[in-house]
């Protein structure tokens, strides 16, 4: 076989130009990140902020109209300057149109995102099965209430009839059956996704009518790869139909199962206090940062790091203790259940190492930049990969493969490695002082409690406040950072504009972290940033105006919260009737496209910032906007300007208020069921 040779430099290369560097102020709104970017540049270490300046994105790829699905391409179909007049004759070598290419690319992104969430869910389900079989000491069924709550949705009975008497079923038996039924959702040969029926009945019927109820999770993802292979599905509408099936299989399947099973294993989150930003790292402590998405290992790291003998061990090495911190959604997982502080967001991950105080960074899956290894090389930081599917090629990276059967031993090994590394720190420690208090850990259950009270724990109070106009509507603002836009700026501007206009915000992922870094996740933020109606509700109830609901897979909590709003009555019969809108102001990941699409087909008007890979195929773009609104009640939209972005969402919320007949703010009246039915009339 012909060997591909490495290029050999023949003559002395011309002197390289000075690398272009990012302007720290233009790169991020976060002062701690700015400080660390300056430091990295002084040390000659490049970060994503500099690389984004040096390398521009491909102008054709960004429009979604580059196809490389076979070796006759890549076929690139740029939109002519000034747009297309008359017939669009652009086609690839095989004849694929811009619409077909954009739709194929779009649903391949859905497949990437859905598989990431769902494979995460599968790993959790496997650990759950081990726990249910009692094969591991480290994991136990922690939240029995949650187990009993989800079991019926998987067709698992929680009671049993014996001698004519109805009795509670044995919890271990229920757990085992739940584990088996859950595992089945990934690859069962027939039937349909069981959780699809957790959606409001009207929505489920809509999915049924359009033939998009998923069969099982894996099948919908595999079918996307088949249909987008050269020479298979060549109708953008039919391609998107499959994208819809896979996205539902993500939001109402893989992600929802991940959230539920994690809650049963590790506990359903309830609000707790913590802190966010790089200032959570401590110079005199061993700093261990966990980063990625799966809480299965990080839960063990939290348990081990809290052990008195481990703290003593850290002290024996000259540290005052162990400081854990998180990045990305592993951060959100251990924040919401244990109050472990958040170090920073996705885009600033390299900067945690630039502090010189990161003794170990432990990564699992998703959103981990490969350049972490290069940055770690410049410091004493041990970079530890832990997942068999996520290794790094650089030789300074240590791989400690995590096995749930030896979970505590693995976690102990990792924590000890961090502690032992404390002594190897150089003199170059520089931790920014910025950090903010945050209240996180909201979920479907806690919103019910906080806004409903102990005696009337329900969504009635939330609905009442929407109906009487104190709360104008609900926004789900989620997603990543993107190096093509100023770090955290759009997140914060969109959220501030929404709460200023009395829209309560539910957040997950890196938007949640950005809001925490800005101090928006405290009840006190309401008086400063909210309109009078939302400020009053927050003050009375004692909640922040931005409710942090967890990690990326926890967007399923937002779907279920919206379903509870429908059930509580007075705001229509389907999610698309509620004054609700979705947003991902700084998205970058394929997972965001999958999330965006399951929001849309669940009935949510969803606006993305930055860009959408559809602009090169206007007919396809209109399909996922206008046609989808007719089909599912939700639609895609794109608006990079954060203030306009927020106002598109507010306009949609107002449109829904008008359709419901609640567009005139009214004095608060506690409504009974008859009043709500009259409104729905
Ligand atoms: Fe080009 Fe068609 Fe091959 Fe895509 S599938 S690369 S459009 S020839
Ligand atoms: S971590 S997917 S950058 S939100 Fe979930 Fe943040 Fe986006 Fe990763």
């Amino acid at each position: 076989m012909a060997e591909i040779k490495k290029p050999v430099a023949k003559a002395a290369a011309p002197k390289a130009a000075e690398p272009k560097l990012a302007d720290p102020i233009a790169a991020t709104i976060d002062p701690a990140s700015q400080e660390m970017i300056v430091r990295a540049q002084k040390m000659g270490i490049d970060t994503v902020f500099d690389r984004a300046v040096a390398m521009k994105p491909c102008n054709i790829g960004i429009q979604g109209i580059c196809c490389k699905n076979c070796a006759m391409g890549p076929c690139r179909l740029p939109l002519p300057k000034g747009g297309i007049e008359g017939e669009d004759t652009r086609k690839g070598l095989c004849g694929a149109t811009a619409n077909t290419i954009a739709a194929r690319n779009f649903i391949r992104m859905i497949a990437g995102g859905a598989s990431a969430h769902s494979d995460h869910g599968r790993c959790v389900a496997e650990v759950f099965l081990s726990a249910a079989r009692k094969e591991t000491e480290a994991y136990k069924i922690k939240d029995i209430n949650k187990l009993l709550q989800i079991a019926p949705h998987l067709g698992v009975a929680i009671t049993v009839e014996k001698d004519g008497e109805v009795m509670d079923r044995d919890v271990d038996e229920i757990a085992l059956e739940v584990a088996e039924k859950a595992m089945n959702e990934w690859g069962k040969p027939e039937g349909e996704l069981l959780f699809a029926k957790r959606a409001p009945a009207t929505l489920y019927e809509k999915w049924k009518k359009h033939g998009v109820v998923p069969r099982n999770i894996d099948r919908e993802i595999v079918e996307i790869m088949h249909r987008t292979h050269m020479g298979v599905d060549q109708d953008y509408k039919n391609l998107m139909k499959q994208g819809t099936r896979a996205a539902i299989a993500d939001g109402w399947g893989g992600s929802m199962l991940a959230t539920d099973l994690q809650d049963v294993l590790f506990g359903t989150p309830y609000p707790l206090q913590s802190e966010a930003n790089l200032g959570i790292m401590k110079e005199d402590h061993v700093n261990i940062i966990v980063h990625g998405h799966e809480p299965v290992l990080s839960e063990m790291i939290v348990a081990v790091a809290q052990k008195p003998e481990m703290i003593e061990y850290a002290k024996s090495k000259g540290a005052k203790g162990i400081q854990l911190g998180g990045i990305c959604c592993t951060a959100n997982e251990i924040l919401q259940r244990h109050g472990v502080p958040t170090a920073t967001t996705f885009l600033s991950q390299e900067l945690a190492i630039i502090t010189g105080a990161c003794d170990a960074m432990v990564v699992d899956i998703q959103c981990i930049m490969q350049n972490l290894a290069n940055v770690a090389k410049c410091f004493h930081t041990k970079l530890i990969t832990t997942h068999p599917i996520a290794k790094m090629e650089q030789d300074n990276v240590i791989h400690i493969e995590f096995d749930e059967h030896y979970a505590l031993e693995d976690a102990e090994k990792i924590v000890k490695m961090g502690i032992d590394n404390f002594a190897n720190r150089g003199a170059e420690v520089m931790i920014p002082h910025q950090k903010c208090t945050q209240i996180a850990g909201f979920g479907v259950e806690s919103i019910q409690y906080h806004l409903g009270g102990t005696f009337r724990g329900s969504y009635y109070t939330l609905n009442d406040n929407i109906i009487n106009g104190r709360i104008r509507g609900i926004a789900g603002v989620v997603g990543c950072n993107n190096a093509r836009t100023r770090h955290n700026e759009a997140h914060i501007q969109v959220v501030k504009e929404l709460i200023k206009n009395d829209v309560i915000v539910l957040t997950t992922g890196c938007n949640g972290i950005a809001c925490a870094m800005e101090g928006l996740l405290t009840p006190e933020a309401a008086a400063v940033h909210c309109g009078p109606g939302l400020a009053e509700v927050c003050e009375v109830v004692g909640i922040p105006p931005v409710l942090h609901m967890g990690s990326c897979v926890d967007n399923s909590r937002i779907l279920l919260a919206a379903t509870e709003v429908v059930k509580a009555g007075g705001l229509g019969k389907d999610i698309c009737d509620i004054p609700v809108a979705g947003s991902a102001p700084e998205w970058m990941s394929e997972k965001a496209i999958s999330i965006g699409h399951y929001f849309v087909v669940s009935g949510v008007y969803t606006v993305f910032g930055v860009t959408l890979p559809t602009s090169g195929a206007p007919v396809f773009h209109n399909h996922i906007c206008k046609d989808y609104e007719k089909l599912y009640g939700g639609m895609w939209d794109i608006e990079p300007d954060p203030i306009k972005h927020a106002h598109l969402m507010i306009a949609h919320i107002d449109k829904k208020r008008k359709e419901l007949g609640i567009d005139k703010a009214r004095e608060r009246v506690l409504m009974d069921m008859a009043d709500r039915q009259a409104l729905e009339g």
Side-chain angles (χ1 to χ4, degrees), residues 69-131:
N69 292 11
C70 87
M72 297 193 288
C75 295
R76 307 179 318 153
L77 275 53
L79 201 59
K81 272 204 178 104
I84 291 171
E85 275 179 33
E87 201 189 338
D88 185 355
T89 54
R90 293 174 296 161
K91 54 186 175 216
L93 257 64
C94 65
T97 63
N99 295 326
T100 301
I101 291 174
R104 278 180 187 159
N105 289 337
F106 199 80
I107 71 169
R108 278 199 172 196
M109 290 184 89
I110 293 179
S115 59
H117 287 146
S118 300
D119 218 30
H120 163 171
R122 187 203 319 267
C123 285
V124 176
E126 283 168 354
V127 173
F128 191 97
L129 184 61
S130 280

Coordinates of all heavy atoms in Angstrom, one line a residue, residues 69-131:
N69 N -20.0 13.9 1.1 CA -20.5 12.6 1.4 C -20.1 11.5 0.5 O -20.4 10.4 0.6 CB -22.1 12.6 1.5 CG -22.6 13.4 2.7 OD1 -21.8 14.1 3.4 ND2 -23.8 13.3 3.0
C70 N -19.3 11.9 -0.6 CA -18.7 10.9 -1.4 C -17.4 11.5 -2.0 O -17.2 12.7 -1.9 CB -19.6 10.4 -2.5 SG -19.6 11.3 -4.0
A71 N -16.6 10.6 -2.5 CA -15.2 11.0 -3.0 C -15.2 11.7 -4.3 O -14.2 12.0 -4.9 CB -14.3 9.8 -3.0
M72 N -16.4 12.0 -4.9 CA -16.5 12.8 -6.1 C -16.4 14.3 -5.7 O -16.2 15.2 -6.5 CB -17.7 12.5 -6.9 CG -17.7 11.1 -7.5 SD -19.0 10.9 -8.7 CE -20.5 10.9 -7.8
G73 N -16.7 14.5 -4.4 CA -16.7 15.9 -3.9 C -15.4 16.2 -3.2 O -14.4 15.6 -3.5
P74 N -15.4 17.1 -2.3 CA -16.5 18.0 -1.9 C -17.1 18.8 -3.0 O -16.3 19.4 -3.8 CB -15.9 18.9 -0.8 CG -14.6 18.2 -0.3 CD -14.1 17.4 -1.5
C75 N -18.4 18.8 -3.0 CA -19.1 19.7 -3.9 C -19.6 20.9 -3.1 O -20.3 20.8 -2.1 CB -20.3 19.0 -4.5 SG -19.8 17.6 -5.5
R76 N -19.3 22.1 -3.7 CA -19.5 23.3 -2.9 C -20.5 24.2 -3.8 O -20.2 24.5 -4.9 CB -18.3 24.1 -2.6 CG -17.3 23.1 -1.9 CD -15.9 23.7 -1.6 NE -15.4 24.6 -2.6 CZ -14.5 25.6 -2.4 NH1 -14.2 25.9 -1.1 NH2 -14.0 26.3 -3.3
L77 N -21.6 24.6 -3.1 CA -22.6 25.3 -3.9 C -22.9 26.7 -3.3 O -24.0 26.9 -2.8 CB -24.0 24.5 -3.9 CG -24.2 23.4 -4.9 CD1 -23.1 22.4 -5.0 CD2 -25.5 22.7 -4.6
P78 N -21.9 27.6 -3.4 CA -22.1 28.9 -2.7 C -23.3 29.6 -3.3 O -23.6 29.5 -4.5 CB -20.8 29.6 -3.0 CG -20.2 28.9 -4.1 CD -20.6 27.5 -4.1
L79 N -23.9 30.4 -2.5 CA -25.1 31.2 -2.9 C -24.5 32.4 -3.7 O -23.6 33.0 -3.2 CB -25.8 31.7 -1.7 CG -27.2 32.2 -1.8 CD1 -28.2 31.1 -2.3 CD2 -27.7 32.7 -0.4
P80 N -24.9 32.6 -4.9 CA -24.3 33.8 -5.7 C -24.6 35.1 -4.9 O -25.6 35.2 -4.2 CB -25.1 33.8 -7.0 CG -26.0 32.6 -7.0 CD -26.0 32.0 -5.6
K81 N -23.6 36.0 -5.1 CA -23.8 37.3 -4.5 C -25.1 37.9 -5.0 O -25.4 37.9 -6.1 CB -22.6 38.2 -4.9 CG -21.4 38.1 -3.9 CD -20.6 39.3 -3.9 CE -19.5 39.1 -2.9 NZ -18.2 38.9 -3.6
G82 N -25.9 38.5 -4.1 CA -27.2 39.1 -4.5 C -28.3 38.1 -4.5 O -29.4 38.4 -4.9
G83 N -28.0 36.8 -4.1 CA -29.0 35.8 -4.1 C -29.4 35.2 -5.4 O -28.7 35.4 -6.4
I84 N -30.4 34.4 -5.4 CA -30.8 33.7 -6.7 C -32.1 34.3 -7.3 O -33.1 34.4 -6.6 CB -31.0 32.2 -6.4 CG1 -29.7 31.6 -6.0 CG2 -31.6 31.5 -7.5 CD1 -29.7 30.2 -5.5
E85 N -32.0 34.7 -8.5 CA -33.2 35.1 -9.2 C -33.6 34.0 -10.1 O -32.8 33.4 -10.8 CB -32.9 36.4 -10.0 CG -33.0 37.6 -9.1 CD -32.7 38.9 -9.9 OE1 -33.0 38.9 -11.1 OE2 -32.1 39.8 -9.3
G86 N -34.9 33.7 -10.1 CA -35.4 32.6 -10.9 C -35.1 31.3 -10.3 O -34.9 31.1 -9.1
E87 N -34.9 30.3 -11.2 CA -34.7 28.9 -10.8 C -33.3 28.7 -10.2 O -32.3 29.2 -10.7 CB -34.8 28.0 -12.0 CG -35.1 26.6 -11.6 CD -35.0 25.6 -12.9 OE1 -35.1 26.1 -14.0 OE2 -34.8 24.4 -12.6
D88 N -33.2 28.0 -9.1 CA -31.9 27.7 -8.4 C -31.4 26.4 -9.1 O -31.8 25.3 -9.0 CB -32.2 27.4 -6.9 CG -30.9 27.1 -6.2 OD1 -29.8 27.1 -6.8 OD2 -30.9 27.0 -4.9
T89 N -30.3 26.6 -10.0 CA -29.8 25.5 -10.8 C -28.5 24.9 -10.1 O -27.9 24.1 -10.8 CB -29.5 26.0 -12.2 OG1 -28.6 27.2 -12.0 CG2 -30.7 26.4 -13.0
R90 N -28.2 25.4 -9.0 CA -27.0 24.8 -8.3 C -27.1 23.3 -8.1 O -28.2 22.9 -7.6 CB -26.7 25.5 -7.0 CG -26.4 27.0 -7.1 CD -26.3 27.6 -5.8 NE -27.5 27.6 -5.0 CZ -27.6 27.8 -3.7 NH1 -26.6 27.9 -3.0 NH2 -28.8 27.8 -3.1
K91 N -26.1 22.6 -8.4 CA -26.1 21.2 -8.0 C -24.7 20.6 -7.9 O -23.8 21.1 -8.6 CB -27.0 20.3 -9.0 CG -26.6 20.5 -10.5 CD -27.7 19.7 -11.3 CE -27.4 19.9 -12.8 NZ -28.6 20.1 -13.6
G92 N -24.6 19.5 -7.1 CA -23.3 18.8 -7.0 C -23.1 17.9 -8.2 O -24.0 17.8 -9.1
L93 N -22.0 17.1 -8.2 CA -21.8 16.2 -9.3 C -22.9 15.2 -9.5 O -23.2 14.9 -10.7 CB -20.4 15.5 -9.1 CG -19.2 16.0 -9.9 CD1 -18.9 17.5 -9.4 CD2 -18.0 15.2 -9.7
C94 N -23.4 14.7 -8.4 CA -24.5 13.7 -8.6 C -25.9 14.4 -8.9 O -26.9 13.7 -9.1 CB -24.6 12.9 -7.3 SG -25.1 13.9 -5.9
G95 N -25.9 15.7 -8.8 CA -27.2 16.4 -9.0 C -27.8 16.9 -7.7 O -28.9 17.5 -7.8
A96 N -27.2 16.6 -6.6 CA -27.8 17.0 -5.3 C -28.0 18.5 -5.3 O -27.0 19.3 -5.6 CB -26.9 16.5 -4.2
T97 N -29.2 19.0 -4.9 CA -29.4 20.4 -4.9 C -28.9 21.0 -3.5 O -28.6 20.3 -2.6 CB -30.9 20.6 -4.9 OG1 -31.5 20.1 -3.8 CG2 -31.6 20.0 -6.2
A98 N -28.9 22.3 -3.5 CA -28.5 23.0 -2.3 C -29.4 22.6 -1.1 O -28.9 22.4 0.0 CB -28.6 24.5 -2.5
N99 N -30.7 22.4 -1.4 CA -31.6 22.0 -0.3 C -31.3 20.6 0.2 O -31.3 20.4 1.4 CB -33.1 22.0 -0.8 CG -33.5 23.4 -1.2 OD1 -33.2 24.3 -0.6 ND2 -34.4 23.4 -2.2
T100 N -31.0 19.7 -0.7 CA -30.7 18.3 -0.3 C -29.4 18.4 0.6 O -29.3 17.7 1.6 CB -30.5 17.4 -1.5 OG1 -31.7 17.5 -2.2 CG2 -30.1 16.0 -1.1
I101 N -28.4 19.1 0.1 CA -27.1 19.1 0.8 C -27.2 19.7 2.1 O -26.8 19.2 3.1 CB -26.0 19.9 -0.1 CG1 -25.7 19.0 -1.3 CG2 -24.8 20.2 0.7 CD1 -24.8 19.7 -2.3
A102 N -27.9 20.9 2.2 CA -28.1 21.5 3.5 C -28.9 20.7 4.5 O -28.6 20.6 5.7 CB -28.8 22.9 3.3
A103 N -29.9 20.0 4.0 CA -30.8 19.1 4.8 C -29.9 17.9 5.3 O -30.0 17.5 6.5 CB -32.0 18.6 4.1
R104 N -29.1 17.4 4.4 CA -28.3 16.2 4.8 C -27.3 16.6 5.9 O -27.2 16.0 6.9 CB -27.4 15.8 3.6 CG -28.1 14.9 2.6 CD -27.0 14.6 1.6 NE -27.5 13.8 0.5 CZ -26.9 13.8 -0.7 NH1 -25.8 14.6 -0.9 NH2 -27.3 13.1 -1.7
N105 N -26.7 17.8 5.7 CA -25.7 18.3 6.7 C -26.4 18.5 8.0 O -25.9 18.2 9.1 CB -25.0 19.6 6.2 CG -24.1 19.3 5.1 OD1 -23.6 18.1 4.9 ND2 -23.7 20.3 4.3
F106 N -27.6 19.2 7.9 CA -28.3 19.5 9.1 C -28.7 18.3 9.9 O -28.5 18.2 11.2 CB -29.6 20.3 8.7 CG -30.2 21.1 9.9 CD1 -29.6 22.4 10.2 CD2 -31.3 20.7 10.6 CE1 -30.2 23.1 11.2 CE2 -31.8 21.4 11.6 CZ -31.3 22.7 11.9
I107 N -29.2 17.3 9.3 CA -29.6 16.1 10.0 C -28.5 15.3 10.5 O -28.5 14.5 11.5 CB -30.8 15.3 9.4 CG1 -30.3 14.5 8.2 CG2 -32.0 16.2 9.0 CD1 -31.3 13.5 7.7
R108 N -27.3 15.4 9.8 CA -26.1 14.7 10.3 C -25.7 15.4 11.6 O -25.1 14.7 12.5 CB -25.0 14.7 9.3 CG -25.1 13.6 8.3 CD -23.9 13.3 7.5 NE -24.0 12.1 6.7 CZ -23.1 11.4 6.2 NH1 -21.8 11.7 6.4 NH2 -23.3 10.3 5.5
M109 N -25.9 16.7 11.7 CA -25.6 17.3 13.0 C -26.6 16.9 14.0 O -26.2 16.6 15.2 CB -25.7 18.9 12.8 CG -24.6 19.5 12.0 SD -24.7 21.3 11.9 CE -23.7 21.7 13.3
I110 N -27.8 16.7 13.7 CA -28.8 16.1 14.7 C -28.3 14.8 15.1 O -28.3 14.4 16.3 CB -30.2 16.1 14.1 CG1 -30.8 17.5 13.8 CG2 -31.2 15.3 15.0 CD1 -32.2 17.6 13.3
A111 N -27.9 13.9 14.1 CA -27.4 12.6 14.5 C -26.2 12.7 15.4 O -26.2 11.9 16.4 CB -27.0 11.8 13.2
G112 N -25.3 13.6 15.2 CA -24.1 13.7 16.0 C -24.5 14.1 17.4 O -24.1 13.6 18.4
G113 N -25.4 15.1 17.5 CA -25.9 15.6 18.8 C -26.7 14.5 19.6 O -26.5 14.3 20.7
A114 N -27.7 13.9 18.8 CA -28.5 12.9 19.5 C -27.7 11.7 20.0 O -27.9 11.2 21.0 CB -29.6 12.5 18.5
S115 N -26.7 11.4 19.2 CA -25.9 10.2 19.6 C -25.0 10.5 20.8 O -24.9 9.7 21.7 CB -25.0 9.7 18.4 OG -24.2 10.7 18.0
A116 N -24.5 11.8 20.9 CA -23.7 12.2 22.0 C -24.6 12.1 23.3 O -24.2 11.5 24.3 CB -23.1 13.6 21.8
H117 N -25.7 12.8 23.3 CA -26.6 12.7 24.5 C -27.0 11.3 24.8 O -27.1 10.9 25.9 CB -27.9 13.5 24.2 CG -27.7 15.0 24.2 ND1 -28.3 15.9 23.4 CD2 -26.8 15.8 24.9 CE1 -27.9 17.1 23.6 NE2 -27.0 17.1 24.5
S118 N -27.4 10.6 23.7 CA -28.0 9.3 24.0 C -27.0 8.2 24.4 O -27.3 7.3 25.2 CB -28.8 8.8 22.7 OG -29.7 9.8 22.5
D119 N -25.8 8.3 23.9 CA -24.7 7.4 24.3 C -24.3 7.7 25.8 O -24.0 6.8 26.5 CB -23.5 7.6 23.4 CG -22.8 6.2 23.1 OD1 -23.6 5.2 23.1 OD2 -21.6 6.2 22.9
H120 N -24.3 9.0 26.1 CA -24.2 9.3 27.5 C -25.3 8.6 28.3 O -25.0 8.0 29.4 CB -24.2 10.9 27.6 CG -24.5 11.5 29.0 ND1 -24.4 12.8 29.2 CD2 -24.8 10.9 30.2 CE1 -24.6 13.1 30.5 NE2 -25.0 11.9 31.1
G121 N -26.5 8.8 27.9 CA -27.6 8.1 28.6 C -27.4 6.6 28.7 O -27.7 6.0 29.7
R122 N -26.9 6.0 27.6 CA -26.7 4.6 27.6 C -25.7 4.2 28.7 O -25.9 3.2 29.4 CB -26.2 4.1 26.3 CG -26.2 2.6 26.1 CD -25.2 2.2 25.0 NE -25.3 3.0 23.8 CZ -26.0 2.8 22.7 NH1 -26.7 1.7 22.7 NH2 -26.0 3.6 21.7
C123 N -24.6 4.9 28.8 CA -23.6 4.7 29.8 C -24.2 4.7 31.2 O -23.9 3.9 32.1 CB -22.4 5.7 29.8 SG -21.4 5.4 28.4
V124 N -25.1 5.7 31.4 CA -25.7 5.9 32.7 C -26.6 4.7 33.0 O -26.7 4.1 34.1 CB -26.5 7.2 32.8 CG1 -27.3 7.3 34.1 CG2 -25.6 8.4 32.7
A125 N -27.4 4.3 31.9 CA -28.3 3.1 32.0 C -27.5 1.8 32.4 O -27.9 1.0 33.2 CB -29.1 2.9 30.8
E126 N -26.3 1.7 31.8 CA -25.5 0.5 32.1 C -25.0 0.5 33.6 O -25.1 -0.5 34.2 CB -24.2 0.5 31.2 CG -24.6 0.0 29.8 CD -23.5 0.2 28.8 OE1 -22.5 0.9 29.1 OE2 -23.7 -0.2 27.6
V127 N -24.6 1.7 34.1 CA -24.3 1.8 35.5 C -25.5 1.5 36.4 O -25.4 0.8 37.4 CB -23.6 3.2 35.8 CG1 -23.4 3.3 37.3 CG2 -22.3 3.4 35.0
F128 N -26.6 2.0 35.9 CA -27.9 1.8 36.7 C -28.2 0.3 36.8 O -28.6 -0.2 37.8 CB -29.0 2.6 35.9 CG -30.3 2.7 36.7 CD1 -30.6 3.8 37.4 CD2 -31.2 1.6 36.7 CE1 -31.8 3.9 38.1 CE2 -32.4 1.7 37.4 CZ -32.7 2.8 38.1
L129 N -28.0 -0.4 35.6 CA -28.2 -1.8 35.6 C -27.3 -2.5 36.6 O -27.7 -3.4 37.3 CB -28.1 -2.3 34.2 CG -28.4 -3.8 33.9 CD1 -29.9 -4.1 34.3 CD2 -28.1 -4.2 32.5
S130 N -26.0 -2.1 36.6 CA -25.1 -2.7 37.5 C -25.5 -2.5 39.0 O -25.4 -3.4 39.8 CB -23.7 -2.0 37.4 OG -23.0 -2.5 36.3
A131 N -26.0 -1.2 39.2 CA -26.4 -0.9 40.6 C -27.7 -1.8 40.9 O -27.8 -2.3 42.1 CB -26.7 0.6 40.7

